[in-house]
Amino acid sequence: MTKETEAQLTGATPRRKPKPDIDTIGGRRLKPATLMMGHGYDPMLSEGSLKPPIFLTSTFVFENAAAGKRHFEGVTGKRPGGAEGLVYSRFNGPNQEILEDRLSVWEDAEEALTFSSGMSAIATLLLATVKPGDTIVHSGPLYAATETLIARILGRFGVNFLDFPAGATRDEIDAVMKKAAEGTVSLIYLESPANPTNALVDVEAVAASRDAIFGNGPDAPPIAIDNTFLGPLWQQPLKHGADLVVYSLTKYAGGHSDLVAGGVVGRKALIDPIRLMRNTIGTITDPNTAWMLLRSLETLELRMTRAGENAAKVCAFLRDHPKVEHVGYLGFLAGDRQADIYRRHCTGAGSTFSLFLKGGEAEAFRFLDALKIAKLAVSLGGTETLASHPAGMTHLSVPEERKKALGITDNLVRISIGVEDADDLIADFEQALAAV
């Protein structure tokens, strides 16, 4: 949101000048954790309020008729540069625009958009990008609802897809890309780490394959990636060749399990058509949720850091337990292709991992039912530790053969570590494993 827009819409008089954002001091560029405390907002334009007010309004007043016309010239494309100012809360609002300014800071993105949920962000991106007859190339597995949206819903409208496994090599990626290039590829969609297996995608290899087969001009299919599991603290895919990054802001960005929201960040040229689609179908986040996310972004680095430290301690305990078959934790990768991807792409192992127990569904259920501190619930990235059974819950709708191919087995438990005391969590997992 521009300072001029903020001045118009927070009650400031035309004579009051907004203070410029401070993003450097003494030539030092300020870090995202610092910018979260005030970037994009001047308290003096809102009666001195330290935090942005919640703007609960459906419509906004134009300064004059000419300003109204100028806004709609931008909205309709009759004037280059897009819309200026605020007009209606289906399109934008002060809380959402401050949030989007701050969200883009974490990945040094040109633009950001926020949505009413992670899936509405993904759906709006897809609707803005594909048309009947197009092909989406994607990694696998994806979050089950994303797979359903691509394969079943968009499939009804003539959209095709081809996929490659998350850990695919450059040759394997090339083979899928070349086959897809026989038609029109409108989007390359990735998820890394994959949900729920934690398998990493080599974004650099995907970008190199795309450039080799389709070129890197404006007509080449963009690369979008769901970065919910590691971002924005532990992975920043725009640095490795992605064009758009998708988030379920419900998770680490929100981080308190009390809101649902989504986001997309990336290049302005690619964000603009997604914004137009969001304006049309109304998938923007609401002002109160945007305000809550502004609160959460202030502690994002603190929460993610503590959760990551806890996960490292918990996984070290689980790794050698006699009732554990395997711990799918990124911090344990060594000496293989996944370890190489991790070294190049990630700055931390995260706090969400896959736990494979010895046995099957019965053993997994006994473990889950015995937990006392960890909560049996879907989602991840909150302050509390959560555990779930993907094969029987979030990925139940995925066909059995595909679940088997993707490694989503009955003995898999997905765990998201929170910010509790690590030793207490270890004690909880130890007693739960005793019940297996």
Side-chain angles (χ1 to χ4, degrees), residues 167-185:
T169 65
R170 171 66 190 275
D171 287 344
E172 291 169 330
I173 296 168
D174 280 350
V176 174
M177 292 283 198
K178 289 175 182 177
K179 183 176 181 181
E182 296 173 4
T184 300
V185 177

mmCIF file of all heavy atoms in Angstrom, residues 167-185:
data_model
loop_
_atom_site.group_PDB
_atom_site.id
_atom_site.type_symbol
_atom_site.label_atom_id
_atom_site.label_comp_id
_atom_site.label_asym_id
_atom_site.label_seq_id
_atom_site.Cartn_x
_atom_site.Cartn_y
_atom_site.Cartn_z
ATOM 1 N N GLY A 167 11.748 -36.358 -5.656
ATOM 2 C CA GLY A 167 13.202 -36.505 -5.689
ATOM 3 C C GLY A 167 13.782 -36.758 -7.063
ATOM 4 O O GLY A 167 14.923 -37.216 -7.174
ATOM 5 N N ALA A 168 13.046 -36.462 -8.110
ATOM 6 C CA ALA A 168 13.468 -36.797 -9.479
ATOM 7 C C ALA A 168 14.796 -36.131 -9.844
ATOM 8 O O ALA A 168 15.109 -35.027 -9.410
ATOM 9 C CB ALA A 168 12.393 -36.380 -10.477
ATOM 10 N N THR A 169 15.566 -36.830 -10.674
ATOM 11 C CA THR A 169 16.812 -36.291 -11.202
ATOM 12 C C THR A 169 16.515 -35.374 -12.383
ATOM 13 O O THR A 169 15.396 -35.324 -12.895
ATOM 14 C CB THR A 169 17.726 -37.420 -11.672
ATOM 15 O OG1 THR A 169 17.087 -38.091 -12.782
ATOM 16 C CG2 THR A 169 17.984 -38.426 -10.556
ATOM 17 N N ARG A 170 17.541 -34.677 -12.852
ATOM 18 C CA ARG A 170 17.377 -33.793 -14.003
ATOM 19 C C ARG A 170 16.908 -34.586 -15.226
ATOM 20 O O ARG A 170 16.007 -34.144 -15.967
ATOM 21 C CB ARG A 170 18.697 -33.082 -14.297
ATOM 22 C CG ARG A 170 18.733 -32.297 -15.603
ATOM 23 C CD ARG A 170 17.807 -31.110 -15.654
ATOM 24 N NE ARG A 170 17.719 -30.570 -16.993
ATOM 25 C CZ ARG A 170 18.587 -29.683 -17.513
ATOM 26 N NH1 ARG A 170 19.595 -29.235 -16.776
ATOM 27 N NH2 ARG A 170 18.427 -29.233 -18.736
ATOM 28 N N ASP A 171 17.456 -35.781 -15.444
ATOM 29 C CA ASP A 171 17.042 -36.584 -16.596
ATOM 30 C C ASP A 171 15.572 -36.978 -16.488
ATOM 31 O O ASP A 171 14.838 -36.952 -17.489
ATOM 32 C CB ASP A 171 17.909 -37.844 -16.705
ATOM 33 C CG ASP A 171 19.326 -37.535 -17.183
ATOM 34 O OD1 ASP A 171 19.536 -36.427 -17.717
ATOM 35 O OD2 ASP A 171 20.207 -38.392 -16.992
ATOM 36 N N GLU A 172 15.143 -37.344 -15.282
ATOM 37 C CA GLU A 172 13.744 -37.728 -15.089
ATOM 38 C C GLU A 172 12.817 -36.533 -15.291
ATOM 39 O O GLU A 172 11.727 -36.666 -15.871
ATOM 40 C CB GLU A 172 13.560 -38.316 -13.687
ATOM 41 C CG GLU A 172 14.236 -39.663 -13.499
ATOM 42 C CD GLU A 172 14.265 -40.113 -12.051
ATOM 43 O OE1 GLU A 172 14.305 -39.246 -11.147
ATOM 44 O OE2 GLU A 172 14.241 -41.337 -11.803
ATOM 45 N N ILE A 173 13.243 -35.380 -14.821
ATOM 46 C CA ILE A 173 12.447 -34.161 -15.012
ATOM 47 C C ILE A 173 12.371 -33.816 -16.492
ATOM 48 O O ILE A 173 11.301 -33.479 -17.021
ATOM 49 C CB ILE A 173 13.047 -33.001 -14.199
ATOM 50 C CG1 ILE A 173 12.962 -33.301 -12.702
ATOM 51 C CG2 ILE A 173 12.327 -31.686 -14.514
ATOM 52 C CD1 ILE A 173 13.788 -32.361 -11.844
ATOM 53 N N ASP A 174 13.519 -33.904 -17.190
ATOM 54 C CA ASP A 174 13.550 -33.607 -18.626
ATOM 55 C C ASP A 174 12.584 -34.499 -19.397
ATOM 56 O O ASP A 174 11.893 -34.040 -20.321
ATOM 57 C CB ASP A 174 14.958 -33.805 -19.181
ATOM 58 C CG ASP A 174 15.875 -32.625 -18.899
ATOM 59 O OD1 ASP A 174 15.375 -31.579 -18.435
ATOM 60 O OD2 ASP A 174 17.096 -32.762 -19.122
ATOM 61 N N ALA A 175 12.538 -35.776 -19.033
ATOM 62 C CA ALA A 175 11.672 -36.714 -19.754
ATOM 63 C C ALA A 175 10.212 -36.306 -19.642
ATOM 64 O O ALA A 175 9.462 -36.350 -20.642
ATOM 65 C CB ALA A 175 11.881 -38.125 -19.207
ATOM 66 N N VAL A 176 9.780 -35.884 -18.456
ATOM 67 C CA VAL A 176 8.394 -35.449 -18.268
ATOM 68 C C VAL A 176 8.145 -34.130 -18.981
ATOM 69 O O VAL A 176 7.110 -33.941 -19.628
ATOM 70 C CB VAL A 176 8.078 -35.332 -16.761
ATOM 71 C CG1 VAL A 176 6.686 -34.735 -16.547
ATOM 72 C CG2 VAL A 176 8.175 -36.694 -16.089
ATOM 73 N N MET A 177 9.098 -33.204 -18.896
ATOM 74 C CA MET A 177 8.939 -31.903 -19.543
ATOM 75 C C MET A 177 8.824 -32.050 -21.064
ATOM 76 O O MET A 177 7.991 -31.386 -21.710
ATOM 77 C CB MET A 177 10.133 -31.003 -19.208
ATOM 78 C CG MET A 177 10.210 -30.570 -17.759
ATOM 79 S SD MET A 177 9.065 -29.256 -17.342
ATOM 80 C CE MET A 177 9.828 -28.693 -15.817
ATOM 81 N N LYS A 178 9.648 -32.910 -21.635
ATOM 82 C CA LYS A 178 9.617 -33.092 -23.094
ATOM 83 C C LYS A 178 8.294 -33.695 -23.546
ATOM 84 O O LYS A 178 7.737 -33.303 -24.579
ATOM 85 C CB LYS A 178 10.783 -33.970 -23.534
ATOM 86 C CG LYS A 178 12.136 -33.279 -23.430
ATOM 87 C CD LYS A 178 13.277 -34.225 -23.756
ATOM 88 C CE LYS A 178 14.634 -33.524 -23.609
ATOM 89 N NZ LYS A 178 15.767 -34.444 -23.860
ATOM 90 N N LYS A 179 7.794 -34.635 -22.765
ATOM 91 C CA LYS A 179 6.494 -35.220 -23.103
ATOM 92 C C LYS A 179 5.395 -34.169 -22.993
ATOM 93 O O LYS A 179 4.515 -34.069 -23.852
ATOM 94 C CB LYS A 179 6.191 -36.401 -22.189
ATOM 95 C CG LYS A 179 4.886 -37.113 -22.525
ATOM 96 C CD LYS A 179 4.694 -38.334 -21.644
ATOM 97 C CE LYS A 179 3.396 -39.047 -21.993
ATOM 98 N NZ LYS A 179 3.177 -40.248 -21.128
ATOM 99 N N ALA A 180 5.444 -33.352 -21.947
ATOM 100 C CA ALA A 180 4.433 -32.315 -21.757
ATOM 101 C C ALA A 180 4.517 -31.261 -22.851
ATOM 102 O O ALA A 180 3.499 -30.678 -23.248
ATOM 103 C CB ALA A 180 4.612 -31.662 -20.387
ATOM 104 N N ALA A 181 5.721 -31.011 -23.366
ATOM 105 C CA ALA A 181 5.923 -29.979 -24.380
ATOM 106 C C ALA A 181 5.260 -30.320 -25.703
ATOM 107 O O ALA A 181 5.172 -29.459 -26.592
ATOM 108 C CB ALA A 181 7.421 -29.744 -24.593
ATOM 109 N N GLU A 182 4.774 -31.552 -25.838
ATOM 110 C CA GLU A 182 4.008 -31.898 -27.035
ATOM 111 C C GLU A 182 2.689 -31.135 -27.070
ATOM 112 O O GLU A 182 2.065 -31.008 -28.124
ATOM 113 C CB GLU A 182 3.757 -33.406 -27.061
ATOM 114 C CG GLU A 182 5.045 -34.227 -27.171
ATOM 115 C CD GLU A 182 4.786 -35.721 -27.012
ATOM 116 O OE1 GLU A 182 3.596 -36.106 -26.902
ATOM 117 O OE2 GLU A 182 5.762 -36.503 -27.015
ATOM 118 N N GLY A 183 2.252 -30.655 -25.931
ATOM 119 C CA GLY A 183 1.075 -29.805 -25.844
ATOM 120 C C GLY A 183 1.472 -28.431 -25.341
ATOM 121 O O GLY A 183 2.606 -27.987 -25.527
ATOM 122 N N THR A 184 0.542 -27.741 -24.692
ATOM 123 C CA THR A 184 0.802 -26.415 -24.143
ATOM 124 C C THR A 184 0.929 -26.514 -22.629
ATOM 125 O O THR A 184 -0.032 -26.851 -21.935
ATOM 126 C CB THR A 184 -0.342 -25.437 -24.487
ATOM 127 O OG1 THR A 184 -0.456 -25.338 -25.905
ATOM 128 C CG2 THR A 184 -0.067 -24.056 -23.904
ATOM 129 N N VAL A 185 2.110 -26.251 -22.125
ATOM 130 C CA VAL A 185 2.353 -26.272 -20.684
ATOM 131 C C VAL A 185 2.176 -24.845 -20.150
ATOM 132 O O VAL A 185 2.899 -23.932 -20.546
ATOM 133 C CB VAL A 185 3.762 -26.800 -20.350
ATOM 134 C CG1 VAL A 185 4.017 -26.737 -18.846
ATOM 135 C CG2 VAL A 185 3.921 -28.220 -20.858
#
